[in-house]
């Protein structure tokens, strides 16, 4: 006969079952989130719990936990008489091409820019180094709050060398991407950009401007853009609301 479980082993087994259910719920939430963001539910209504249970070979408790996770993210809500409906939207930001935000999201609405700070500043050492400038050189500093559909989407901080950036002082920064303006000023297309993408917590300033909870997760895109000749001309630190943007791209494995 199998040995009886000791009293001490029972809570351990229960905790393990809860952990396994939580793991399965997280995995199911990942699958449902992808379906939501790729338009798999065109009417905006998720299948009934019984259908999700059968389709994903999951228990009802696991399905409910997964839906709770998505509700916590603001993606779905439960509506009496309707079911679980999609209420949140994330905009797709491609990483395959060098584009400004308005170019990237033109299919989803008009991007507006609130210029919060604009003017020359002495470049911090790391900024001067990244832009290939001497220590103490002046750069143009531009901070913009960018909205899509009237909702705050990103807080952009840009540094540009004064011989290039100074020309932006008379330009329409509220309605035009910096990339488009740079190409007009330099007379040709931009070259390439080095990017870094990471998650950061919203500090008090970013949280207030983006209307996000303090400490909320943001996507920080650091981008150094070069002219075709290789000269760096635009160093940006872009903080996106993580609940309103999703990054995507195509990666190919070299032979």
């Amino acid at each position: 006969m199998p040995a009886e479980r000791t009293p001490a082993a029972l809570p351990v087994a229960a905790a393990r079952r809860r952990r396994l259910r939580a793991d399965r719920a997280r995995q199911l939430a990942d699958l449902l989130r992808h379906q939501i963001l790729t338009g798999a539910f065109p009417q905006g209504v998720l299948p009934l719990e019984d259908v999700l249970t059968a389709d994903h070979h999951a228990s009802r408790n696991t399905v409910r936990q997964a839906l709770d996770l998505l509700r916590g993210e603001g993606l779905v809500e439960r509506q009496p008489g309707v079911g679980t409906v999609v209420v949140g939207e994330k905009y797709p930001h491609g990483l395959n091409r060098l584009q400004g935000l308005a170019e990237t999201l033109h299919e989803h609405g008009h991007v507006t820019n609130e210029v919060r700070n604009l003017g020359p500043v002495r470049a911090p050492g790391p900024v001067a180094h990244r832009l290939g400038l001497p220590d103490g050189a002046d750069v143009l500093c531009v901070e913009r709050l960018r909205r899509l559909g009237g909702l705050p989407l990103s807080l952009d901080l840009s540094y540009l060398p004064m011989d290039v950036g100074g020309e932006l002082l008379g330009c329409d920064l509220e309605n035009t991407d910096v990339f488009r303006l740079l190409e007009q000023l330099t007379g040709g297309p931009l070259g390439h950009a080095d990017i870094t993408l990471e998650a950061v917590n919203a500090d008090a300033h970013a949280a207030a401007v983006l209307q996000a909870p303090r400490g909320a997760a943001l996507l920080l895109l650091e981008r150094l853009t070069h002219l075709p000749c290789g000269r760096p001309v635009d160093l940006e630190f872009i903080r996106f609301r993580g609940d309103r943007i999703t990054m995507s791209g195509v990666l190919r494995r070299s032979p």
Side-chain angles (χ1 to χ4, degrees), residues 98 131 179 182 190-194 223-227 230-236:
L98 181 56
L131 290 174
F179 280 0
L182 287 176
L190 296 169
H192 71 280
D194 306 311
R223 181 168 61 193
L224 179 61
T225 302
H226 304 253
L227 295 176
R231 182 191 176 188
V233 292
D234 185 8
L235 175 61
E236 300 171 276

Side-chain angles (χ1 to χ4, degrees), residues 130-200:
R130 298 286 300 282
L131 290 174
L133 301 172
D135 291 341
D138 284 345
V139 293
L140 182 72
C141 178
V142 186
E143 184 183 68
R144 294 167 298 158
L145 170 62
R146 317 198 72 184
R147 294 184 176 93
L148 181 61
L151 297 176
L153 182 61
S154 70
L155 180 62
D156 300 10
L157 180 64
S158 304
Y159 298 99
L160 304 99
M162 284 304 299
D163 65 315
V164 176
E167 299 293 329
L168 296 177
L169 290 172
C171 294
D172 183 9
L173 289 166
E174 292 189 352
N175 297 295
T176 315
D177 278 338
V178 167
F179 280 0
R180 186 173 296 277
L181 293 172
L182 287 176
E183 290 181 333
Q184 291 173 0
L185 293 172
T186 60
L190 296 169
H192 71 280
D194 306 311
I195 65 171
T196 301
L197 183 64
E198 61 180 314
V200 298

Side-chain angles (χ1 to χ4, degrees), residues 4-89:
E4 293 185 4
R5 292 187 178 181
T6 63
L10 294 177
V12 173
R16 183 173 183 274
R17 287 195 297 272
R18 287 195 298 271
R19 179 181 62 79
L20 289 175
R21 186 166 63 242
D23 287 344
R24 295 189 185 106
R26 171 174 45 80
Q27 294 159 8
L28 175 56
D30 289 342
L31 296 175
L32 293 175
R33 186 187 303 104
H34 175 77
Q35 290 180 287
I36 291 170
L37 298 179
T38 54
F41 310 118
Q43 303 304 316
V45 181
L46 272 66
L48 297 175
E49 290 181 2
D50 289 344
V51 176
L52 292 175
T53 297
D55 286 350
H56 295 275
H57 308 290
S59 70
R60 183 178 292 273
N61 283 338
T62 296
V63 169
R64 289 176 174 172
Q65 276 189 261
L67 295 176
D68 284 342
L69 291 174
L70 298 177
R71 273 194 290 271
E73 296 175 16
L75 279 180
V76 302
E77 282 184 0
R78 180 75 179 176
Q79 293 187 359
V82 179
T84 301
V85 299
V86 178
V87 295
E89 183 175 9

Side-chain angles (χ1 to χ4, degrees), residues 86-152:
V86 178
V87 295
E89 183 175 9
K90 289 192 176 186
Y91 300 104
H93 188 296
L95 296 175
N96 296 323
R97 297 183 59 193
L98 181 56
Q99 293 182 310
L101 190 65
E103 294 175 303
T104 302
L105 300 179
H106 72 278
E107 295 179 354
H108 302 279
H110 180 57
V111 174
T112 60
N113 308 308
E114 176 188 334
V115 180
R116 299 179 53 82
N117 185 36
L118 174 64
V121 299
R122 177 169 292 184
V127 171
H129 175 73
R130 298 286 300 282
L131 290 174
L133 301 172
D135 291 341
D138 284 345
V139 293
L140 182 72
C141 178
V142 186
E143 184 183 68
R144 294 167 298 158
L145 170 62
R146 317 198 72 184
R147 294 184 176 93
L148 181 61
L151 297 176

